[in-house]
Amino acid sequence: MTDEVRRLAGAAWAFRARVEREASSRFVRLAAAIPAFDPGSPVVGLLRRAAADEDRHAALCADLAAAYGGPAGATPVDASVAPRTFGARDAVLYEMVAACCIAETESVATLATLLAGAAEPRVRSVVHEIARDEVVHGRMGWAHLAREAAVRDVSFLSAWVPAMLEGSVEPGIFSAGGPGSEPDELLRHGVLPSWRKREIFVGTLEEVVFPGLDKLGVPAAPARAWLTERLAGRVSPGGMR
Ligand SMILES: [Fe+2]
Ligand SMILES: [Fe+2]
C-alpha cells in the first residue's frame, strides 16, 4: 500500500466515523421530537435503536481510520438541517427525508457496491456490519413520510428536495473524470472512485428515491430537474450559475 493510499483511506474512514456520530445525535434528537405530534409512532423506537447502531458504526469506522493511521476525527456537530422558517413538525419531516430516505438509502447502495468488490477482509467485515443496519435506517424515513402523508399534505417538501440533495452529495463527483481516472487500489480499502460514487448516487435517486417520493406525495420533479442540470454540467454542486 502506498503512503497516498493509506492517507486517503485513513481520512475517508475518519470522515465516516464523524458522519456516524452525527447521525447518532440526530436520531436521538428526532426520536425526542416526534411524540409531540405523533405519540403512537413506531418510528420513535426505531430511531432510538438506530442511534445505538450509529454509535457502534462510529467506533468501527474510527478503529479502521486508526489502523490506516488516519486522524482522530473532528468533533461531530448536530444541528437541524431544516430551513429555519419551518415549524417543529415540518422540520422533523425534512430531516427524516434528508437523513433517511436520501442519505441512508445512498449509503446502502454505496456499501453494497463495496461488498461486491474485492475489499480487504477487515474492511469487508466493517462494511458488512454497517450495511445490515443502514437498510433499516433508510426504511425509518419512508415509514415516517408515509405516516405524515396519510394525515396531511406533504407536497410542500417537493421544492426542498434539491437542497437536501445538495447537502448530501460529495462536492466534485459531477466534475470528476470517468473510469481509470483514479487508482483502483483504494477500492480494497473501502474508498470508491468519484465516477463510481456519481453512478451510485444517480442510480439510487432514479431507481429508489425519486419513485418513493412521488408515490408518497412529494413530487420529485424539482429534484429530477436538479439532477438533470448537474449531469449536463451546467451547475457545479454548491456553486452558482
Ligand atoms: Fe451508520
Ligand atoms: Fe444509518
Side-chain angles (χ1 to χ4, degrees):
M1 189 184 349
T2 67
D3 284 351
E4 178 69 352
V5 166
R6 188 188 306 277
R7 188 184 65 78
L8 290 169
W13 285 103
F15 176 76
R16 280 180 197 152
R18 197 190 84 197
V19 170
E20 301 282 2
R21 281 197 297 268
E22 286 175 352
S24 171
S25 307
R26 179 175 304 113
F27 291 162
V28 166
R29 183 165 49 75
L30 292 169
I34 291 176
F37 56 85
D38 189 1
S41 177
V43 175
V44 173
L46 294 173
L47 279 165
R48 293 216 180 93
R49 206 173 315 157
D53 292 340
E54 305 297 15
D55 286 337
R56 189 161 34 81
H57 298 172
L60 290 167
C61 293
D63 283 352
L64 261 185
Y68 285 106
T75 314
V77 186
D78 175 49
S80 172
V81 293
R84 284 166 191 276
T85 52
F86 276 30
R89 184 171 184 166
D90 289 349
V92 168
L93 183 59
Y94 183 106
E95 287 204 86
M96 287 299 290
V97 170
C100 298
C101 300
I102 295 173
E104 295 279 352
T105 305
E106 290 289 353
S107 171
V108 169
T110 300
L111 297 168
T113 305
L114 286 172
L115 283 176
E120 298 275 300
R122 185 166 183 187
V123 169
R124 169 173 289 276
S125 83
V126 167
V127 169
H128 190 264
E129 176 160 353
I130 295 178
R132 206 186 45 200
D133 299 323
E134 308 295 46
V135 174
V136 180
H137 301 173
R139 285 194 204 124
M140 297 188 303
W142 298 110
H144 183 72
L145 177 58
R147 282 180 77 82
E148 288 287 69
V151 296
R152 65 193 190 108
D153 183 4
V154 293
S155 63
F156 68 92
L157 218 53
S158 173
W160 294 97
V161 179
M164 297 179 192
L165 298 177
E166 200 78 65
S168 76
V169 77
E170 213 171 286
I173 66 164
F174 289 108
S175 55
S181 56
E182 289 162 61
D184 284 342
E185 201 197 339
L186 275 168
L187 250 175
R188 296 193 10 241
H189 305 288
V191 185
L192 291 167
S194 296
W195 67 270
R196 197 77 180 89
K197 286 183 189 165
R198 177 174 63 226
E199 206 174 75
I200 293 165
F201 183 74
V202 173
T204 305
L205 289 181
E206 289 176 342
E207 287 157 35
V208 185
V209 177
F210 292 167
L213 292 173
D214 273 331
K215 196 176 137 210
L216 292 170
V218 181
R224 286 182 207 275
W226 176 92
L227 184 61
T228 303
E229 276 190 347
R230 291 308 178 283
L231 291 174
R234 274 177 289 165
V235 187
S236 63
M240 303 298 281
R241 271 167 199 278

